């Protein structure tokens, strides 16, 4: 669950909070969100997906990063800084890496829902990732054993590209040969 921790916070104040905290903190629209440790089920799903993605991207230009990796989203249309910690990120640009974070826009982001964080991932992050130009967004729901894939259309809006529940294989749009069997994710 991502809980609002502080609001009306400047980016500089966020950086100071982040440096003095061991907690996972995200910064969106002047609000600092604390992201508690995920459940065991969440971690198993994340590990399974990370393994599948890692095998697919091995030896390729794009790299897969698991939480907690800070992503500072940047877009010419938005001067405000946003820092998120996606469950998985696929980054294809080599520039943008610092010692502590990636500054840019990942090609693909995966968020794994928990019972308490659904609104944050389904609304706040969905709209944020769409606005900043994340080309593909996977929402994984372990409670329903479902994966939904969204892809940006020509108007810069997300369209549902794939959805699978319980069985089947979900396919990436940006990486068409990246296919993941739900049995490999949830079991």
């Amino acid at each position: 669950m991502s809980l609002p921790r502080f609001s009306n916070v400047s980016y500089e104040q966020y950086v100071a909070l982040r440096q003095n905290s061991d907690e996972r903190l995200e910064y969106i629209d002047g609000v600092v969100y604390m992201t508690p440790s995920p459940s065991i089920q969440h971690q198993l799903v994340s590990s399974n997906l990370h393994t599948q993605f890692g095998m697919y991207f091995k030896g390729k230009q794009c790299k897969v990063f698991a939480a907690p990796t800070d992503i500072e989203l940047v877009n010419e249309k938005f001067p405000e800084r946003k820092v998120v910690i996606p469950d998985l990120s696929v980054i294809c640009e080599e520039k943008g890496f610092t010692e502590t974070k990636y500054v840019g826009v990942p090609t693909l982001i995966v968020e794994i829902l928990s019972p308490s964080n659904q609104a944050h991932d389904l609304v706040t992050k969905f709209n944020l990732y769409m606005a900043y130009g994340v080309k593909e967004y996977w929402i994984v729901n372990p409670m329903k054993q479902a994966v939904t894939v969204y892809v940006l259309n020509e108007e810069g809006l997300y369209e549902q590209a794939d959805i699978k529940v319980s069985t089947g294989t979900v396919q990436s749009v940006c990486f068409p040969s990246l296919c993941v069997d739900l049995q490999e994710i949830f079991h």
Side-chain angles (χ1 to χ4, degrees), residues 51-64:
T51 299
Q52 295 293 314
F53 278 35
M55 289 188 310
Y56 175 80
F57 287 106
K58 185 176 177 89
K60 295 183 170 85
Q61 177 185 349
C62 300
K63 304 296 178 215
V64 182

Side-chain angles (χ1 to χ4, degrees), residues 81-147:
R81 293 171 150 177
K82 316 277 194 223
V83 179
V84 293
I85 306 171
D87 290 309
L88 293 172
S89 302
V90 175
I91 299 171
C92 300
E93 296 288 325
E94 290 186 20
K95 60 181 182 168
F97 287 99
T98 72
E99 273 300 308
T100 59
K101 64 185 172 187
Y102 173 73
V103 180
V105 178
T107 301
L108 188 155
I109 287 180
V110 176
E111 293 288 3
I112 301 166
L113 301 181
S114 297
S116 55
N117 80 340
Q118 292 184 48
H120 188 62
D121 289 341
L122 292 170
V123 179
T124 306
K125 285 187 170 182
F126 180 95
N127 288 312
L128 182 69
Y129 296 157
M130 183 170 58
Y132 275 78
V134 175
K135 292 177 184 170
E136 190 167 327
Y137 181 34
W138 289 29
I139 297 175
V140 178
N141 186 332
M143 293 80 65
K144 303 283 186 190
Q145 293 193 352
V147 179

Side-chain angles (χ1 to χ4, degrees), residues 159-175:
E159 290 181 349
Q160 184 176 305
D162 198 359
I163 185 169
K164 295 292 185 288
V165 179
S166 299
T167 62
T169 301
V170 68
Q171 181 176 7
S172 170
V173 174
C174 292
F175 309 99

